[in-house]
Amino acid sequence: MNVNADRIEQQNVVSVALNVNGEKMERQIEPRLLLSDFLRDDLGLTGTHVGCEHGVCGACTILVNGESVRSCLMLAVQADGCEIKTVESLSSKDGSLNTIQQAFANNHALQCGFCTPGFLMSIESYMKNNSKQPSDEEIKECISGNLCRCTGYSNIISAIKEAYSSKNSQ
Ligand code: FES
Ligand code: FES
């Protein structure tokens, strides 16, 4: 690489500090890098899936400061100082599933699983903000930003109902 190219590359790198799944980190990244690509390619958190890459499918949904966000619509530099949670944060260290994951397993709420991380994170956010058992209409609204092309939505809705029942009986 010649000196000029090297200088241009250095100018195009910025520092970000953030907390991902409870771990504080600092990285040098290009300003144009999408948050979804940062999570997958730089941090190896490949549970965040990338489908449409323009905000339609919801497969890339994560939590940023507790709110569900499509990580393909956000630049990694915009996450500077934020607390990020990805699907990898849901299960326990020993691998046991959380309430929503277990309900998905119990209700056959996935087939290929491509959409599943996005659904799980949307539901995680919804359940944190809504403690009362939702109606069918409210559940449909909750998952309206997530597309599934193979399981169908009935089992996913059943899983959400079961997750609420399990949570409220604890
Ligand atoms: S990959 Fe982000 S919404 Fe589809
Ligand atoms: S489980 Fe295959 S796309 Fe939803």
Side-chain angles (χ1 to χ4, degrees), residues 1-168:
M1 184 180 292
N2 67 40
V3 176
N4 279 344
D6 195 29
R7 192 174 302 134
I8 288 166
E9 192 165 281
Q10 297 218 349
Q11 281 171 351
N12 284 335
V13 168
V14 292
S15 181
V16 288
L18 63 172
N19 184 311
V20 181
N21 297 338
E23 190 186 330
K24 285 185 185 167
M25 56 183 67
E26 202 167 334
R27 292 286 190 284
Q28 305 290 316
I29 57 169
E30 285 189 59
R32 64 178 182 166
L33 183 65
L34 293 176
L35 182 54
S36 49
D37 291 337
F38 173 68
L39 293 171
R40 290 178 54 84
D41 301 336
D42 289 40
L43 303 186
L45 295 170
T46 53
T48 299
H49 289 170
V50 172
C52 65
E53 280 196 285
H54 59 271
V56 174
C57 72
C60 65
T61 305
I62 59 166
L63 303 189
V64 177
N65 294 338
E67 297 296 326
S68 61
V69 164
R70 285 153 203 269
S71 56
C72 74
L73 292 185
M74 191 167 163
L75 294 169
V77 289
Q78 293 175 293
D80 188 35
C82 292
E83 185 172 310
I84 306 286
K85 293 251 189 251
T86 68
V87 71
E88 285 87 351
S89 71
L90 297 184
S91 59
S92 304
K93 285 213 162 48
D94 66 3
S96 52
L97 303 180
N98 84 349
T99 307
I100 309 164
Q101 291 172 309
Q102 190 60 57
F104 263 60
N106 294 347
N107 289 273
H108 310 288
L110 66 152
Q111 286 189 55
C112 76
F114 189 85
C115 67
T116 310
F119 272 94
L120 293 173
M121 297 315 285
S122 294
I123 299 162
E124 170 82 1
S125 167
Y126 186 87
M127 289 183 76
K128 280 207 167 12
N129 293 318
N130 301 277
S131 56
K132 193 168 99 356
Q133 181 93 24
S135 66
D136 282 10
E137 282 314 304
E138 288 168 330
I139 290 175
K140 287 177 190 170
E141 177 69 25
C142 156
I143 57 172
S144 61
N146 293 83
L147 300 181
C148 176
R149 298 180 71 178
C150 61
T151 300
Y153 298 92
S154 300
N155 291 6
I156 294 172
I157 291 170
S158 300
I160 296 171
K161 288 180 179 172
E162 184 185 297
Y164 265 96
S165 303
S166 314
K167 192 174 149 209
N168 292 336

